[in-house]
Amino acid sequence: MTKLTLDKAANLDDPTDWPTGWRKWTPAALFKIALYFGCCLVAILTLPNSIWDQEVARITFVIGGLGIWRYGWWFTHAVRALIYGKIVYPKMRDKGREIWDAGWRPRHMHFMMTTYKEHRSITEKVVRSILREIRASGVPGTIWLGSSDRFDEDIIEDFLRREAKDTDITLRIIRQNVSGKRAAIGLVLRAMCRLPIDEDDLVVFMDGDFILAEGAISRCMPLFKLYPDLQACTTDEEVICIGPRWIETWLKMRFAQRRLAMQSHALSGRVLTLTGRMSVFRARNLLQLEFIRLLEADHLEHWLWGNFRFLSGDDKSTWYYMLKHGAHMRYVPDALGYTVEVIEGSGMDRMVQNFRRWSGNMLRNGARAIKLGPHRMPFFIWWCLVDQRLSMWTMLVSPVLAVAATLLQGPAYLASYLIFIALSRMLLSLFLFGYSRRIQMAYPWILYLNQLINASVKVYCIFRLSKQRWSNRGNQTASNSADALVQRAQNAMANWCTALATVMLVLSTVHYTKLVEIPSIMLLNSIVGF
């Protein structure tokens, strides 16, 4: 195992430092943004512009129309996030703080934690953060550890013996006899059912690499007292990345996107995922057999792959259960934790594997959530789910059209398209800068790369929903259990569907540009002899 240290000397970008105001929007940062836009303006004025030529004008209108739609949708999220973050949530936070300061506490604190051969330094920091929150609350706590290896158990037991002598805390280890995180969680929940846990007890679901920031628990739990119909909430995240710098920048940008989207969704009293890194639930839901079975054995019936179980995505299963039952869910933007990402090997491979896991989880759960209909959830949330399915295709239309126009007009159109990308992604990044700890000028291009790769991976995954791999959980893989001949036929069909979808996308766009003409019915009749 790689030797790992998490002190400030090894990680100069200290995640506990959150610059605000002029500490973030420094003169240097503003100068870089102004210089960026200045370079774009110079390029517009000096490079040849052929985007309005007659033979490519229609392409320009389509790219522009798609841009207006997507950026309008982004702006809608930005406005909603602003309303939630500046108006709605501060009132909730202040009322919750009054309840906490007045002395209300949950009867008991439960932490459901799963881990798999995690680095010792990470595990100890995670447990130390739990101890700090239990001590600050002044109520007893229990760590329910879903474990598959003695290695993790020894680390936690040794640490608690050394540092938890003054804390009323119980460690309950549930050793799983079936591999996988889902099985571990299911066994923990079944163990909870055998003990006297009150229905209104609050249970924190968290991963073994998630370090709680100070006060994270005290910001979440009063909301359940304040709102009796609140069934679950999820929290903010920041990343500590041990790996390539560009991967760190990409992850920080992803978390900035997450903050904006989560606050927008939470304005409707729902979220689109109850993040497995850390979410808080009322125990009454966790003690239901339907909830336990859905989490530990969630599956999908697919026209091509038959019936298969989900490997990852336990947070999507818990979310689907809540959504199905009309549960009220919230996002708590100032309850923070740090996700530790250790990137070993190829950074690009890890990026693609993460996209496959995230996109696969979204696709496997999105379709059945859409089928619940807008009457089972706020219409905005339902449309967000529909939009996730549409955006994977619309994102690919623009570059295909740009390539087609370049073939018609030459490199001048490609240069104009790149300027459009530079300007549009910087405008989007200006929103993200407000939700990011640092202003990083790489965001516009990393954002475009993120969108392009994500859309491509989604198109690949939508025809291979049973293919699953979890690189950072022991490199687990899952597929269907059919015999070799059936698997070859299924893989061939998946490849054919992917190729067909790709060809149809390209042909429809190039036909629209008149680069390729589809034969008329009369021509086809003459060819086949009718």
Side-chain angles (χ1 to χ4, degrees):
M1 181 173 291
T2 304
K3 184 179 180 181
L4 184 69
T5 58
L6 292 176
D7 57 14
K8 293 183 181 179
N11 300 276
L12 299 178
D13 187 17
D14 178 11
T16 62
D17 178 33
W18 283 79
T20 58
W22 286 110
R23 288 189 61 221
K24 180 165 71 172
W25 296 92
T26 62
L30 295 176
F31 174 76
K32 290 178 182 178
I33 294 173
L35 181 63
Y36 184 98
F37 281 114
C39 291
C40 290
L41 179 61
V42 170
I44 292 173
L45 296 176
T46 57
L47 293 178
N49 186 352
S50 60
I51 62 174
W52 301 115
D53 289 0
Q54 183 176 0
E55 58 184 347
V56 294
R58 290 178 7 134
I59 299 176
T60 300
F61 276 114
V62 172
I63 293 177
L66 287 173
I68 291 173
W69 171 33
R70 298 312 310 168
Y71 307 142
W73 186 238
W74 187 289
F75 182 73
T76 300
H77 278 300
V79 171
R80 287 173 56 90
L82 188 65
I83 294 172
Y84 183 80
K86 299 298 184 181
I87 300 175
V88 175
Y89 178 71
K91 296 178 180 178
M92 298 169 53
R93 178 195 60 211
D94 293 343
K95 292 179 180 178
R97 185 179 298 155
E98 290 176 5
I99 292 173
W100 191 264
D101 292 343
W104 177 87
R105 296 291 186 274
R107 184 186 65 87
H108 195 97
M109 285 191 172
H110 300 274
F111 294 85
M112 197 292 301
M113 175 180 163
T114 57
T115 186
Y116 177 77
K117 293 185 178 180
E118 194 57 80
H119 293 270
R120 174 181 290 273
S121 57
I122 295 176
T123 299
E124 290 184 346
K125 285 183 178 292
V126 171
V127 178
R128 183 178 288 114
S129 70
I130 294 175
L131 290 178
R132 185 193 61 241
E133 295 300 294
I134 292 175
R135 289 182 185 125
S137 69
V139 299
T142 298
I143 296 178
W144 299 80
L145 178 64
S147 167
S148 62
D149 196 277
R150 185 71 193 177
F151 174 80
D152 304 290
E153 300 166 9
D154 289 341
I155 292 174
I156 297 176
E157 286 180 330
D158 292 343
F159 183 82
L160 291 177
R161 275 194 296 266
R162 293 196 318 266
E163 301 199 17
K165 296 177 181 178
D166 61 338
T167 308
D168 187 357
I169 185 170
T170 303
L171 174 64
R172 295 188 180 276
I173 298 175
I174 294 85
R175 176 73 69 84
Q176 63 189 100
N177 52 9
V178 180
S179 63
K181 181 184 177 184
R182 286 177 174 271
I185 298 175
L187 289 170
V188 170
L189 295 180
R190 291 178 184 277
M192 286 183 176
C193 292
R194 294 192 291 269
L195 290 178
I197 294 181
D198 190 81
E199 286 191 348
D200 282 326
D201 277 357
L202 302 177
V203 182
V204 179
F205 274 38
M206 60 184 295
D207 281 349
D209 59 356
F210 190 81
I211 304 170
L212 300 173
E214 186 173 355
I217 299 301
S218 64
R219 291 181 174 93
C220 293
M221 293 197 169
L223 299 181
F224 289 88
K225 175 66 175 178
L226 183 62
Y227 300 104
D229 62 335
L230 180 62
Q231 301 301 318
C233 71
T234 193
T235 58
D236 189 18
E237 299 179 38
E238 186 53 286
V239 64
I240 302 173
C241 182
I242 314 299
R245 182 60 60 88
W246 72 270
I247 285 283
E248 179 184 32
T249 304
W250 168 64
L251 288 170
K252 290 182 184 297
M253 187 209 68
R254 291 277 304 184
F255 281 122
Q257 284 183 292
R258 178 183 182 274
R259 293 182 191 106
L260 189 151
M262 280 285 195
Q263 293 192 40
S264 172
H265 301 149
L267 190 61
S268 296
R270 303 291 190 277
V271 291
L272 290 195
T273 184
L274 289 168
T275 310
R277 298 292 191 183
M278 181 188 164
S279 295
V280 186
F281 296 84
R282 284 194 194 272
R284 70 175 59 139
N285 300 293
L286 313 186
L287 303 180
Q288 300 297 318
L289 181 60
E290 179 188 355
F291 182 93
I292 297 173
R293 286 299 297 157
L294 182 67
L295 201 155
E296 68 183 4
D298 202 356
H299 64 280
L300 187 68
E301 187 69 40
H302 191 266
W303 66 270
L304 176 59
W305 301 104
N307 190 299
F308 63 89
R309 285 194 175 190
F310 297 169
L311 174 63
S312 61
D314 52 278
D315 51 350
K316 282 290 189 179
S317 296
T318 57
W319 164 78
Y320 176 72
Y321 175 89
M322 295 294 176
L323 193 71
K324 179 181 177 182
H325 290 272
H328 181 198
M329 297 175 271
R330 284 289 183 179
Y331 171 66
V332 187
D334 59 352
L336 178 64
Y338 310 122
T339 298
V340 182
E341 289 282 353
V342 181
I343 310 296
E344 298 172 333
S346 169
M348 180 58 72
D349 180 66
R350 180 63 173 272
M351 182 184 188
V352 172
Q353 291 303 327
N354 279 349
F355 273 134
R356 285 192 63 180
R357 180 161 56 90
W358 297 335
S359 299
N361 293 336
M362 183 275 289
L363 293 169
R364 281 184 285 273
N365 288 275
R368 64 182 183 181
I370 292 172
K371 289 179 182 178
L372 294 176
H375 62 285
R376 299 291 294 275
M377 67 193 82
F379 178 82
F380 183 82
I381 297 298
W382 182 80
W383 183 251
C384 285
L385 294 169
V386 174
D387 181 73
Q388 286 182 336
R389 314 286 288 198
L390 298 176
S391 62
M392 58 187 279
W393 300 105
T394 58
M395 178 58 213
L396 295 176
V397 169
S398 173
V400 171
L401 284 173
V403 170
T406 301
L407 294 175
L408 287 170
Q409 277 283 17
Y413 196 95
L414 181 60
S416 299
Y417 178 74
L418 292 177
I419 295 172
F420 166 73
I421 294 300
L423 282 171
S424 61
R425 269 45 178 193
M426 174 53 85
L427 291 173
L428 297 184
S429 296
L430 291 178
F431 289 105
L432 293 181
F433 291 155
Y435 295 90
S436 177
R437 290 173 40 246
R438 299 283 187 272
I439 294 176
Q440 304 196 52
M441 300 306 293
Y443 273 19
W445 298 105
I446 290 181
L447 176 60
Y448 182 70
L449 181 67
N450 175 85
Q451 293 171 330
L452 195 61
I453 295 178
N454 194 21
S456 302
V457 170
K458 285 180 180 177
V459 170
Y460 176 86
C461 287
I462 199 169
F463 300 111
R464 298 166 179 82
L465 293 181
S466 70
K467 305 289 186 179
Q468 302 167 67
R469 180 181 175 187
W470 207 349
S471 299
N472 59 339
R473 290 284 175 179
N475 203 27
Q476 301 173 47
T477 58
S479 185
N480 61 328
S481 57
D483 60 47
L485 181 61
V486 173
Q487 286 191 46
R488 283 198 294 270
Q490 289 172 323
N491 290 329
M493 176 60 72
N495 292 336
W496 185 85
C497 290
T498 305
L500 179 64
T502 304
V503 169
M504 291 295 293
L505 176 69
V506 173
L507 283 181
S508 60
T509 52
V510 297
H511 171 66
Y512 180 83
T513 64
K514 297 187 181 302
L515 190 65
V516 173
E517 291 289 347
I518 296 179
S520 66
I521 297 297
M522 293 183 62
L523 179 60
L524 289 175
N525 286 340
S526 64
I527 292 175
V528 298
F530 290 128

